[in-house]
Amino acid sequence: MAGTDRDCLHAIDLFFGSGAANLPEVLVTDTGSYSDLVFGIAQLLGVDYRPALADLPDQKGWRAEGGADYGALNTFARGKLDLGKVRRHWAEILRLTGSIYTSQLSAYDVVRALQRDGHPTALGEAIATYGRIFKTLHILSVIDSPPYRRGIKACATSRRDGTRSPRRYSTAAAGNCSSGTGREWRIS
């Protein structure tokens, strides 16, 4: 079943609402479940977000230096990061992250507040810019690392067939939430 950004945010809220002892190292979702903002929030909270990627050749990577030569990756790294946005809002980003981490605010409500009429606020754009760094690293890892790809595929397959995900992974898809043991969470 396809998950959504909302499903991922509810998963993050479930993790942090249940206490830091149950946090997964990795959150794996299906192809319908990612945005730059979710990448940013997950990374800020210390969760390695690994959505399965559809249309891999069409994915856009981001670069910090517009004039840098990335050789064969120049076409991929066609986005330009404005790290000044992140710097300007860093104190607010940390306060917001702390509020989610301590369950004072839910990730779902934070994302709703960071978007107006489908467009991010300045703070939302700063977090999305931060997330693009990790989205780019994720895409490059999917391309370059067979074990990384296998880990994502194993979680997606276990979610579909009802078997358990590897211990350090959490999976998310639309539907009901339940917890596994240790650091495994399943949303199916």
Side-chain angles (χ1 to χ4, degrees):
M1 221 183 264
T4 63
D5 282 346
R6 182 180 62 218
D7 297 325
C8 295
L9 296 169
H10 286 305
I12 288 170
D13 290 335
L14 182 64
F15 303 146
F16 287 91
S18 64
N22 292 319
L23 296 178
E25 293 175 28
V26 178
L27 174 60
V28 176
T29 63
D30 62 16
T31 58
S33 311
Y34 63 90
S35 73
D36 299 339
L37 191 58
V38 173
F39 265 100
I41 289 173
Q43 189 65 40
L44 287 161
L45 293 168
V47 177
D48 188 6
Y49 184 44
R50 296 184 185 178
L53 298 172
D55 304 321
L56 191 58
D58 296 332
Q59 294 294 324
K60 178 181 183 179
W62 297 82
R63 62 174 74 202
E65 296 180 27
D69 183 10
Y70 290 92
L73 294 175
N74 277 332
T75 303
F76 164 71
R78 60 191 179 273
K80 171 75 169 79
L81 294 169
D82 180 357
L83 297 179
K85 289 180 183 179
V86 178
R87 281 187 215 97
R88 283 189 296 278
H89 293 280
W90 191 245
E92 293 170 274
I93 290 170
L94 293 179
R95 277 194 296 277
L96 203 58
T97 303
S99 295
I100 296 170
Y101 197 89
T102 59
S103 300
Q104 293 174 13
L105 295 172
S106 75
Y108 178 76
D109 289 337
V110 165
V111 169
R112 280 190 15 222
L114 292 174
Q115 295 181 356
R116 293 197 183 107
D117 300 322
H119 301 288
T121 62
L123 180 57
E125 183 57 36
I127 295 171
T129 297
Y130 184 78
R132 288 179 189 121
I133 297 166
F134 300 97
K135 178 182 176 185
T136 299
L137 293 172
H138 170 66
I139 293 167
L140 291 171
S141 294
V142 167
I143 292 167
D144 190 52
S145 174
Y148 189 90
R149 278 193 308 275
R150 281 193 297 272
I152 293 169
K153 186 174 182 177
C155 287
T157 302
S158 71
R159 190 173 57 239
R160 275 187 238 109
D161 68 15
T163 59
R164 297 175 66 81
S165 298
R167 189 171 176 82
R168 60 185 279 235
Y169 290 87
S170 169
T171 58
N176 298 323
C177 301
S178 63
S179 67
T181 59
R183 294 162 66 131
E184 174 190 321
W185 283 77
R186 175 185 295 284
I187 301 182
S188 53

